[in-house]
Amino acid sequence: MLTAKHEGAGNYHYHFPSSAVIVTARHEGKENAMTAAWHAPFSFSPPYYGVLISPRRFTFQLINSSRQFGINFMPLEQAELAAAVGGSKGAEVNKFEKYNIKKDSPVKTSVPIIKTAYAAYECRLVDSKTYGDHELFVGEIVAVHFDQKAFPGKGLDLSSGVAPLLYLGGENYSSTDKNITRFVDRQIYGQ
Ligand SMILES: Cc1cc2nc3c(=O)[nH]c(=O)nc-3n(C[C@H](O)[C@H](O)[C@H](O)COP(=O)(O)O)c2cc1C
């Protein structure tokens, strides 16, 4: 029920929850990781994925220079890692060492892939554009990594035990539960 309204946006956060991912990047031996809640798929063919990053982030510089980035989809049990890399600056600290982040080898790029993710995309930058105080980086997905038991068919199967990390705003995280999952067929309901 909508019980309040006002003009303008204020500190708008009404679109939450959204999944919190960890963006990884690497340039000339320097690698980094940061949390992002502002990200989305843009196209199936070619497969494009976009993420919005403030120019104040160290990750921004690494992506701009290397023209590649990784998107790591994390489980709820990694919320502390998301808060750690989203609350520290890669310009000051090596987050992979400090937070003991385990890496997996990339397939087509040199971005670090996080071993504890349940899925990850390797992207090559195809476009970037400034929107207000953030930069939209759009990359072509050139390789994917995923937990096979979590993706047996179309989409994520929560009975696999994977609980995706959702961000609610502030310092609050949550997930989805297989007990509230509903199968709602668009062929039937779209008639
Ligand atoms: C849950 C969460 C979501 C965030 N989402 C974004 C985002 O979408 N874009 C962004 O630029 N920063 C976002 N941040 C902030 C960065 O992760 C944070 O500033 C980080 O310290 C940047 O690290 P870096 O300077 O090493 O790149 C988020 C932080 C948290 C905790």
Side-chain angles (χ1 to χ4, degrees), residues 32 34-38 52-54 57-59 85-86 88-90 95 134 167 173:
N32 195 39
M34 68 158 253
T35 305
W38 292 6
L52 286 136
I53 298 188
S54 159
R57 318 292 184 229
F58 184 58
T59 309
V85 301
S88 54
K89 295 180 194 305
K95 299 188 200 181
H134 278 65
Y167 177 58
Y173 299 85

Side-chain angles (χ1 to χ4, degrees), residues 83-160:
V85 301
S88 54
K89 295 180 194 305
E92 294 168 4
V93 65
N94 179 331
K95 299 188 200 181
F96 281 88
E97 280 175 12
K98 183 164 184 194
Y99 303 118
N100 194 22
I101 304 173
K102 301 268 178 296
K103 289 183 284 188
D104 214 344
S105 314
V107 176
K108 292 283 279 186
T109 64
S110 59
V111 295
I113 297 299
I114 301 181
K115 231 183 178 126
T116 49
Y118 64 85
Y121 296 154
E122 290 177 46
C123 300
R124 282 211 185 109
L125 192 64
V126 292
D127 197 21
S128 64
K129 188 171 174 354
T130 308
Y131 286 94
D133 55 10
H134 278 65
E135 186 82 2
L136 171 63
F137 287 117
V138 179
E140 175 164 2
I141 303 170
V142 292
V144 299
H145 304 240
F146 59 99
D147 177 346
Q148 282 178 287
K149 74 174 183 340
F151 293 93
K154 286 185 185 167
L156 178 63
D157 180 2
L158 294 177
S159 63
S160 65

